[in-house]
Amino acid sequence: MGAILFLLILALLKDHGHGAPQKDIDECSNNSLICGDNSACFNTVGSYYCECLTGFKDFAGATRQCLDIDECAENQHICGEWDICLNQVGSYQCKCPTGFSNYNYRRPHCVDINECMANPQICEDHSICLNTIGSYYCECLPGFTLQPTNIATGQCLDINVCNTEGVCGKGGICHNLNGSYWCLCPAGFTNFGNNQTKCVELNCDQYETQPGQTLPGFYSFVSLLRNNCLVLSNSTLPGTSRQLLTANVLLTLLVNTTDVLHLGVQSNGEVTKLLRTIEMSIRLIAPLLTENVTRIETNHTKAEIMVRRDKNPPEGPVSLTNENTQLDTTWETAVGDYQNYPGFAFVVLLSYKNLDTLKDSFSHQSQQLMSSAVTVSVSNSNTTNLPQPVNLTFNHLQSSDVDPTCVYWSDENGPGEWSGQGCTSVMSNSTHTVCSCNHLSTFALLKGIHQKKESGQLSVVMWVGISVALAFVVLSLIMSLWCRNFSRKRRGGHRLQQDIQLYSK
Ligand SMILES: *[C@@H]1O[C@H](CO)[C@@H](O)[C@H](O)[C@H]1NC(C)=O
Ligand SMILES: *[C@@H]1O[C@H](CO)[C@@H](O)[C@H](O)[C@H]1NC(C)=O
Ligand SMILES: *[C@@H]1O[C@H](CO)[C@@H](O)[C@H](O)[C@H]1NC(C)=O
Ligand SMILES: *[C@@H]1O[C@H](CO)[C@@H](O)[C@H](O)[C@H]1NC(C)=O
Ligand SMILES: *[C@@H]1O[C@H](CO)[C@@H](O)[C@H](O)[C@H]1NC(C)=O
Ligand SMILES: *[C@@H]1O[C@H](CO)[C@@H](O)[C@H](O)[C@H]1NC(C)=O
Ligand SMILES: *[C@@H]1O[C@H](CO)[C@@H](O)[C@H](O)[C@H]1NC(C)=O
Ligand SMILES: *[C@@H]1O[C@H](CO)[C@@H](O)[C@H](O)[C@H]1NC(C)=O
């Protein structure tokens, strides 16, 4: 009995961890529900603990309830940039949306499929395929229009441009092509070799050399110009006779000829003939130029031409510059009549750079040019009364304190002369002068010697008046009154026009 008691006490002691080792109870095995759902039970010596499975989390903390983690919401970058993240109980899945494919099997990472490369036939004729991230679309080539039905196949049909009125200008015959068109101009009209611009009238009679109207030195050049004009204005001419000189060659010839001829002009009438030929030539050459900007320079002459061939009339300021002159105008001025825009516009600045020789021939005792002379021309042929003036900045040939007069070469009446009408000086200092003119022509700065002489005359007259006044008071009063009257007349109004007779004999 005593022995049994001893054994019992021994067992109890062992049970309470004192003394000899006892066997641990595996709570996890004994009670499979001891941890909640989605958690794992871990046995420890004398105890156990619960831990949520991967993909689950004990959101409540103490309650030991393992709930699903929404991996897609917790980590935006868990899938690739374009992947779709799908949450699942205890897990998640990355999938590729349509238009993407998965090149990485371990962790989906979707990449765009380039449908245009994958299937070159995906868009129909006359359209181009444009890939986008996850998709693509078809766009019609210029001249075609998309049928509203289907952007995915790009059914593009030809736009019949010829249905648009006036696309080939007055009298032009429009020929429609698949996605394009061309204009056939009737005789006497041309589109200057650019068969998608409007036909405009071209009168070649003006390129007839006329004794008394054309300087002899220009004869061969003007004949060439006339041949080119005839070919341009007659589209029925057979191919072989349509060999034209290029615009660049014509321009070089014009500048070369001008360079030589302007040194030899003998009279105002010859200056008029020279300038008229130059302006007329430019009107034929400029529309044929293929470059946006063309510059040609010879010893004494410099040409700068800017051409625009936009579908719609160009707009905004335009500036042409050479070392002696700057022209500021706008494309609106160059275009003029917006309604009859022919499909091109140009601005020309032609500068007779070294005008010392011409200046000498112009030089009368009271007249002298203070700048280069420049011819300004634009595609708009109605330039006698511009809605917006052009500005010309002239560098003085020599710095001078004399107030220069802005002048243009006027050839309406008589042989021609420098005239100040329609031109005003808006700014002037010793080195340059800005002229603002409301018409186009050839411009220059004239030294105001005329006015200087006038004031000189005035002081001489006054000195005479004062000395005479000592003796003849009445006479001097009359004289000075006459003087003031005279000066007011000379300075007032628009009498800026100054006649020059060059070599008037
Ligand atoms: C224009 O293109 C379409 C489709 O390619 C073709 O069927 C049609 O004959 C062409 N028309 C002309 C005038 O070339
Ligand atoms: C129209 O002009 C273009 C470019 O100058 C040329 O390639 C084409 O052959 C011309 N078309 C016709 C019908 O003259
Ligand atoms: C155009 O050229 C043809 C062929 O050389 C000619 O018969 C016709 O008279 C010319 N037309 C004009 C207006 O010059
Ligand atoms: C223009 O003159 C220059 C210099 O004299 C010359 O080299 C050039 O060939 C000439 N151009 C033409 C088209 O006559
Ligand atoms: C241009 O000037 C140079 C030097 O003064 C001269 O040698 C040349 O012959 C001139 N060219 C022309 C085309 O007048
Ligand atoms: C010429 O001008 C047009 C705009 O009128 C522009 O699109 C084109 O790029 C220009 N060309 C060059 C060679 O500068
Ligand atoms: C010309 O100059 C005037 C005054 O300086 C200015 O108001 C005008 O805008 C200029 N015109 C052009 C075309 O630059
Ligand atoms: C020329 O232009 C002026 C001003 O822009 C306008 O009043 C006139 O009618 C035009 N003349 C012609 C012949 O187009």
Side-chain angles (χ1 to χ4, degrees), residues 440-492:
L440 296 185
S441 165
T442 297
F443 303 95
L445 288 181
L446 204 61
K447 206 172 217 170
I449 295 178
H450 203 77
Q451 282 146 1
K452 212 178 175 187
K453 219 174 97 190
E454 192 178 54
S455 57
Q457 267 177 359
L458 210 67
S459 64
V460 168
V461 171
M462 275 165 77
W463 273 115
V464 171
I466 287 160
S467 43
V468 171
L470 292 169
F472 310 101
V473 178
V474 176
L475 189 64
S476 94
L477 260 170
I478 292 164
M479 278 291 282
S480 61
L481 268 172
W482 178 82
C483 270
R484 262 189 254 154
N485 201 18
F486 172 70
S487 100
R488 197 178 301 132
K489 260 188 197 159
R490 289 304 293 253
R491 289 173 178 213

Side-chain angles (χ1 to χ4, degrees), residues 168-400:
C168 286
K170 211 166 89 186
I173 300 158
C174 185
H175 294 263
N176 190 52
L177 300 171
N178 249 348
S180 181
Y181 71 100
W182 63 285
C183 298
L184 179 68
C185 297
F189 287 78
T190 187
N191 47 23
F192 293 100
N194 186 344
N195 58 29
Q196 291 197 352
T197 57
K198 289 180 186 175
C199 301
V200 290
E201 210 164 348
L202 183 62
N203 174 14
C204 297
D205 294 345
Q206 58 183 316
Y207 303 107
E208 201 92 59
T209 52
Q210 291 162 331
Q213 291 297 305
T214 315
L215 289 177
F218 264 132
Y219 277 11
S220 65
F221 172 70
V222 172
S223 301
L224 275 174
L225 220 53
R226 182 174 154 76
N227 286 343
N228 276 261
C229 181
L230 287 173
V231 171
L232 279 173
S233 68
N234 190 348
S235 50
T236 63
L237 282 177
T240 44
S241 55
R242 310 201 89 235
Q243 301 297 322
L244 297 173
L245 286 178
T246 70
N248 278 310
V249 169
L250 287 174
L251 185 64
T252 312
L253 281 172
L254 171 68
V255 171
N256 274 10
T257 314
T258 303
D259 205 45
V260 175
L261 288 187
H262 87 256
L263 302 176
V265 287
Q266 297 284 315
S267 66
N268 286 20
E270 286 190 7
V271 174
T272 298
K273 287 177 204 166
L274 174 87
L275 297 179
R276 277 191 183 163
T277 304
I278 290 168
E279 287 189 37
M280 175 184 90
S281 309
I282 281 171
R283 301 210 142 268
L284 187 69
I285 297 169
L288 294 169
L289 289 168
T290 50
E291 301 291 320
N292 286 353
V293 181
T294 307
R295 286 192 185 85
I296 287 193
E297 190 174 2
T298 56
N299 279 359
H300 313 288
T301 314
K302 186 165 184 165
E304 186 170 8
I305 303 180
M306 218 179 256
V307 185
R308 289 281 289 266
R309 278 197 186 74
D310 307 348
K311 277 267 173 257
N312 296 311
E315 289 170 358
V318 52
S319 181
L320 298 187
T321 320
N322 61 46
E323 64 260 47
N324 293 317
T325 320
Q326 178 172 330
L327 166 71
D328 287 292
T329 180
T330 60
W331 282 110
E332 285 86 343
T333 300
V335 170
D337 184 3
Y338 197 92
Q339 300 291 317
N340 291 317
Y341 171 67
F344 66 86
F346 62 79
V347 183
V348 180
L349 180 69
L350 216 126
S351 167
Y352 314 103
K353 194 175 75 181
N354 186 351
L355 231 103
D356 280 335
T357 333
L358 187 57
K359 187 182 71 190
D360 281 343
S361 75
F362 281 156
S363 160
H364 202 241
Q365 55 262 53
S366 62
Q367 304 279 336
Q368 208 182 349
L369 288 189
M370 283 178 67
S371 69
S372 301
V374 294
T375 296
V376 178
S377 182
V378 295
S379 39
N380 171 21
S381 58
N382 178 11
T383 55
T384 46
N385 195 7
L386 299 174
Q388 201 185 358
V390 298
N391 291 340
L392 280 158
T393 308
F394 288 104
N395 290 346
H396 297 171
L397 293 175
Q398 282 154 359
S399 75
S400 158

Side-chain angles (χ1 to χ4, degrees), residues 2-24:
I4 291 166
L5 205 71
F6 171 79
L7 279 171
L8 245 162
I9 289 164
L10 210 74
L12 264 168
L13 276 173
K14 191 190 174 193
D15 260 8
H16 283 86
H18 300 291
Q22 289 180 356
K23 191 168 166 7
D24 174 46

Side-chain angles (χ1 to χ4, degrees), residues 83-94:
D83 300 27
I84 297 172
C85 183
L86 294 170
N87 187 51
Q88 292 171 330
V89 176
S91 176
Y92 69 98
Q93 205 189 348
C94 298

Side-chain angles (χ1 to χ4, degrees), residues 97-110:
T98 40
F100 292 85
S101 67
N102 172 18
Y103 291 119
N104 182 341
Y105 289 98
R106 267 191 292 163
R107 177 168 164 266
H109 193 85
C110 305

